[in-house]
C-alpha cells in the first residue's frame, strides 16, 4: 500500500487555536524610531499596547510619511511560527519586533504533538531539554474500534529508534519560546488594519489604533486567516469537511494511562487521547459536518456535544472529557490550503514572507502543523541571517525566495497527505469502515513509512 494508506493510524489532532492567558505584557522597542513620530505613536510606545479599531486590510503603494516608526524586521503573530522565527533570528544575532493582535500570548487551550523533527528544531534553538522535563515521552500507539475491539498496536522505537514523540501544552511551549527573547521584544494588542508598500520598497503596517510602522522585512506568522497572506494573493483556507472538539483532561492525583496514543475509529467520528504529563491528558473528537457551522465557545455546550458523539464508546474517554476544565475546551473546523505550483503565489513578495499556518495551513491528521512551522522558522532564519550580514537588499529578497523554494517541496505533499488521511479516517459508509477495521488497520498498515516525514536535519543555531 502507498504512504497515504499506511497513514491510516495517524496521530492526535493538535489544537489550532487557544484563548489568551495572563502572561505579563511586553512592550515594543523601536529599533530606529523616526524623530518626528506622531503623538499617537508615542502613546502606543509608552502604553506598550495598541488599542483595537475596526479597519479593513487593503493593498496600496504610498510615499514615505513622517509619522511612521521604522523597524528592520517585524514579525506579525506571536504563535509558534512567530516566536520560533524570532528566537532563531535572535540566536543568529538578528533582532526583530514581534507583534501580536491579542492582549497577551495565546497560551490557553490544549496541546499539540511534536515528533522528532519538531524536537530537533527545539534543540537547535535551545529550549528542547527544558520542555522534555515537563512532558511524557510517548512510547507507542493503540487503535481500537468504537466497540472496544483492539485493531493494532505499535511501539515507535521498534519502527524508528531515533523517533521522539511528546504531546506538549501549547501554553508552556509558547512561554518557553517567549522567554528566550530579550525583554520588550513582543508587542500585544497589535491588530493589523492595513498593509501598504512604500516607494522605497519598505512595507508600511498600520494597526487598529492608527499606529504605523515601516519595516524593511515583514514576516507573516499570523495564522490560518492571515491578512498578510491575503494581501499577497493567497486564497482563503478550504474547509476539509470535518470539525474537532479538543480538551485537556486534568487528574490532580495523577492519571492511570500508559504513555501511548489511543485511537478509536467509528463511522464518521473518530476520537483519541494521549497523556501529556502525569496529571494531564489531551483528547479530541473529530466528526463529519457538511459545513463548519456556527462558532460555539460555550464550554458546557462543547463538552455536551463531545460526549453525545461518543456516548457509547469507552468509558475512559468519557471520563477524560468529564474531567476537562472549561478553559481548555475548543471546537474548530479543520481547514487547509493546497499550494498548487504555478497557481498559488510564492511564499514571498519583495521583502514580505509568510511562515507556518499563514502560508501552508494543514489538517492535523499527521501531527505536522506545529513541526513544519518550527522547521520553517529555522530555515528562514538561517537564510535571512546570511543575507542581512551581506548588507544587500537583493540578497534579502533572494534569501526569501530561496526559503520558499526549499520549503515548498516539503509542505505541499504533507498538506495533501494529511487531507487524504483525514478523509479516509472519517469514512461513514459501514462497508468501508468494516474493511478499514478488519483488513486495512490490522493486516496492511505499516508504521515505518508513516514516520518517514519526521526526518529533518537541523544543526544548532
Amino acid at each position: 500500500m502507498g504512504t497515504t494508506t499506511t497513514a491510516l493510524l495517524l496521530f492526535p489532532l493538535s489544537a489550532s487555536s487557544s484563548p489568551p492567558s495572563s502572561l505579563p505584557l511586553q512592550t515594543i522597542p523601536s529599533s530606529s524610531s523616526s524623530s518626528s513620530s506622531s503623538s499617537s505613536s508615542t502613546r502606543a510606545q509608552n502604553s506598550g499596547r495598541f488599542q483595537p479599531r475596526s479597519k479593513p486590510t487593503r493593498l496600496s503603494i504610498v510615499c514615505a510619511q513622517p509619522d511612521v516608526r521604522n523597524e528592520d524586521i517585524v514579525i506579525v503573530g506571536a504563535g509558534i511560527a512567530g516566536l520560533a522565527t524570532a528566537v532563531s533570528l535572535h540566536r543568529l544575532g538578528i533582532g526583530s519586533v514581534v507583534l501580536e493582535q491579542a492582549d497577551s500570548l495565546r497560551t490557553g487551550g490544549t496541546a499539540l504533538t511534536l515528533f522528532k523533527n519538531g524536537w530537533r528544531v527545539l534543540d537547535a534553538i535551545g529550549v528542547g531539554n527544558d520542555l522534555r522535563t515537563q512532558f511524557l515521552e510517548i512510547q507507542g500507539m493503540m487503535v481500537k474500534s468504537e466497540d472496544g475491539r483492539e485493531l493494532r498496536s505499535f511501539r515507535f522505537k521498534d519502527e524508528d529508534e531515533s523517533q521522539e514523540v511528546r504531546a506538549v501544552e501549547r501554553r508552556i511551549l509558547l512561554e518557553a519560546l517567549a522567554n528566550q527573547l530579550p525583554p520588550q521584544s513582543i508587542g500585544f494588542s497589535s491588530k493589523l488594519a492595513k498593509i501598504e508598500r512604500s516607494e522605497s520598497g519598505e512595507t508600511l503596517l498600520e494597526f487598529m489604533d492608527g499606529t504605523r510602522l515601516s519595516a524593511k522585512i515583514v514576516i507573516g506568522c499570523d495564522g490560518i486567516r492571515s491578512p498578510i497572506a491575503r494581501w499577497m494573493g493567497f486564497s482563503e483556507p478550504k474547509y476539509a469537511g470535518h470539525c474537532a472538539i479538543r480538551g485537556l483532561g486534568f487528574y490532580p492525583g495523577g492519571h492511570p494511562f500508559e504513555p501511548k496514543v489511543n485511537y478509536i475509529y467509528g463511522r464518521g467520528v473518530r476520537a483519541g487521547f494521549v497523556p501529556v504529563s502525569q496529571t494531564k491528558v489531551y483528547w479530541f473528537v473529530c466528526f463529519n459536518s457538511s459545513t463548519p457551522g456556527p462558532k460555539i465557545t460555550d464550554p458546557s455546550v462543547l463538552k455536551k456535544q463531545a460526549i453525545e458523539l461518543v456516548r457509547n464508546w469507552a468509558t475512559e474517554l468519557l471520563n477524560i472529557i468529564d474531567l476537562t476544565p472549561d478553559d481548555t475546551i475548543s471546537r474548530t473546523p479543520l481547514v487547509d490550503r493546497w499550494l498548487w505550483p504555478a497557481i498559488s503565489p510564492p511564499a514571498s513578495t519583495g521583502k514580505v514572507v509568510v511562515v507556518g499556518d499563514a502560508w501552508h495551513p494543514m489538517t492535523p491528521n499527521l501531527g505536522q502543523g506545529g513541526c513544519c512551522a518550527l522547521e520553517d522558522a529555522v530555515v528562514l532564519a538561517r537564510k535571512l541571517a546570511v543575507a542581512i550580514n551581506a548588507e544587500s537588499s537583493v540578497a534579502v529578497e533572494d534569501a526569501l525566495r530561496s526559503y520558499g523554494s526549499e520549503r515548498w517541496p516539503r509542505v505541499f505533499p504533507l498538506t495533501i497527505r494529511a487531507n487524504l488521511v483525514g478523509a479516509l479516517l472519517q469514512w461513514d459508509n459501514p462497508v468501508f469502515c468494516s474493511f478499514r477495521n478488519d483488513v486495512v488497520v490490522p493486516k496492511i498498515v505499516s508504521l515505518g513509512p508513516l514516520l518517514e516525514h519526521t526526518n529533518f536535519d537541523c544543526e544548532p543555531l
Side-chain angles (χ1 to χ4, degrees), residues 127-243:
V127 298
N129 286 336
D130 179 57
L131 290 169
R132 283 186 179 92
T133 64
Q134 302 178 66
F135 303 106
L136 299 173
E137 182 170 6
I138 306 306
Q139 304 298 323
M141 60 189 298
M142 178 179 291
V143 182
K144 294 183 178 181
S145 61
E146 60 186 297
D147 58 8
R149 177 166 53 100
E150 182 178 331
L151 305 179
R152 195 77 178 271
S153 64
F154 296 91
R155 283 181 50 83
F156 289 125
K157 292 191 182 297
D158 288 344
E159 303 291 336
D160 177 2
E161 184 61 35
S162 66
Q163 189 57 247
E164 180 177 7
V165 185
R166 299 172 196 266
V168 176
E169 283 188 68
R170 184 176 298 272
R171 172 183 63 84
I172 294 177
L173 174 58
L174 292 183
E175 289 175 352
L177 292 171
N179 288 338
Q180 296 295 306
L181 295 172
Q184 300 184 325
S185 293
I186 308 174
F188 297 104
S189 300
S190 306
K191 186 173 178 60
L192 189 62
K194 185 170 62 177
I195 310 171
E196 300 175 325
R197 184 174 291 140
S198 69
E199 290 182 334
S200 66
E202 297 191 358
T203 304
L204 183 67
L205 305 174
E206 182 172 332
F207 296 87
M208 288 295 190
D209 70 338
T211 300
R212 293 190 289 177
L213 303 180
S214 180
K216 294 179 181 177
I217 300 170
V218 173
I219 304 176
C221 302
D222 44 345
I224 61 174
R225 304 297 179 189
S226 165
I228 293 178
R230 191 182 312 122
W231 176 78
M232 293 171 65
F234 285 95
S235 61
E236 288 296 312
K238 185 178 179 180
Y239 175 54
H242 31 275
C243 299

Side-chain angles (χ1 to χ4, degrees), residues 1-155:
M1 301 291 287
T3 303
T4 299
T5 303
T6 61
L8 281 171
L9 296 185
L10 281 283
F11 300 95
L13 295 171
S14 302
S16 60
S17 61
S18 6
S21 77
S22 57
L23 200 74
L25 180 71
Q26 293 176 282
T27 56
I28 310 170
S30 175
S31 59
S32 52
S33 300
S34 169
S35 60
S36 55
S37 298
S38 68
S39 59
S40 63
S41 177
T42 303
R43 284 196 301 272
Q45 293 182 57
N46 290 340
S47 66
R49 60 175 67 225
F50 300 131
Q51 299 302 319
R53 183 180 70 186
S54 296
K55 222 172 188 182
T57 302
R58 62 181 185 270
L59 165 65
S60 60
I61 299 178
V62 297
C63 300
Q65 298 185 35
D67 60 342
V68 175
R69 204 177 85 214
N70 299 310
E71 298 287 354
D72 290 331
I73 301 177
V74 173
I75 298 174
V76 180
I80 294 171
L83 293 177
T85 301
V87 173
S88 298
L89 288 169
H90 174 63
R91 290 180 68 88
L92 293 170
I94 306 296
S96 63
V97 170
V98 183
L99 302 180
E100 165 59 41
Q101 67 175 348
D103 59 8
S104 65
L105 283 183
R106 297 185 177 215
T107 52
T110 53
L112 67 156
T113 308
L114 296 178
F115 293 83
K116 69 176 181 181
N117 52 327
W119 287 103
R120 286 180 176 175
V121 173
L122 294 175
D123 285 336
I125 61 179
V127 298
N129 286 336
D130 179 57
L131 290 169
R132 283 186 179 92
T133 64
Q134 302 178 66
F135 303 106
L136 299 173
E137 182 170 6
I138 306 306
Q139 304 298 323
M141 60 189 298
M142 178 179 291
V143 182
K144 294 183 178 181
S145 61
E146 60 186 297
D147 58 8
R149 177 166 53 100
E150 182 178 331
L151 305 179
R152 195 77 178 271
S153 64
F154 296 91
R155 283 181 50 83

Side-chain angles (χ1 to χ4, degrees), residues 224-397:
I224 61 174
R225 304 297 179 189
S226 165
I228 293 178
R230 191 182 312 122
W231 176 78
M232 293 171 65
F234 285 95
S235 61
E236 288 296 312
K238 185 178 179 180
Y239 175 54
H242 31 275
C243 299
I245 302 174
R246 306 174 174 99
L248 200 61
F250 181 52
Y251 292 74
H255 61 72
F257 304 111
E258 296 179 14
K260 62 185 178 184
V261 183
N262 298 271
Y263 284 112
I264 307 169
Y265 294 164
R267 292 172 50 186
V269 180
R270 59 187 154 120
F273 63 91
V274 57
V276 175
S277 63
Q278 297 294 344
T279 59
K280 295 179 181 179
V281 181
Y282 167 66
W283 61 267
F284 73 87
V285 176
C286 188
F287 60 97
N288 290 350
S289 177
S290 59
T291 66
K295 184 176 182 179
I296 302 174
T297 57
D298 186 332
S300 63
V301 173
L302 295 177
K303 184 179 288 190
K304 180 179 178 181
Q305 184 181 12
I307 291 174
E308 284 296 324
L309 286 165
V310 296
R311 177 167 296 281
N312 297 319
W313 293 18
T315 56
E316 56 188 4
L317 174 61
L318 295 171
N319 290 337
I320 296 169
I321 296 174
D322 190 54
L323 291 171
T324 300
D326 286 351
D327 63 349
T328 72
I329 300 177
S330 65
R331 177 186 184 274
T332 51
L334 303 187
V335 301
D336 62 13
R337 178 190 291 128
W338 293 19
L339 301 172
W340 293 109
I343 297 177
S344 296
S348 66
T349 176
K351 285 179 273 189
V352 179
V353 65
V354 280
V355 174
D357 283 347
W359 181 27
H360 50 75
M362 64 180 69
T363 56
N365 300 300
L366 294 177
Q368 284 298 299
C371 292
C372 283
L374 291 169
E375 291 179 13
D376 286 352
V378 293
V379 171
L380 176 61
R382 288 185 195 278
K383 293 180 181 296
L384 259 184
V386 172
I388 290 171
N389 290 331
E391 298 183 353
S392 166
S393 177
V394 173
V396 168
E397 294 190 22

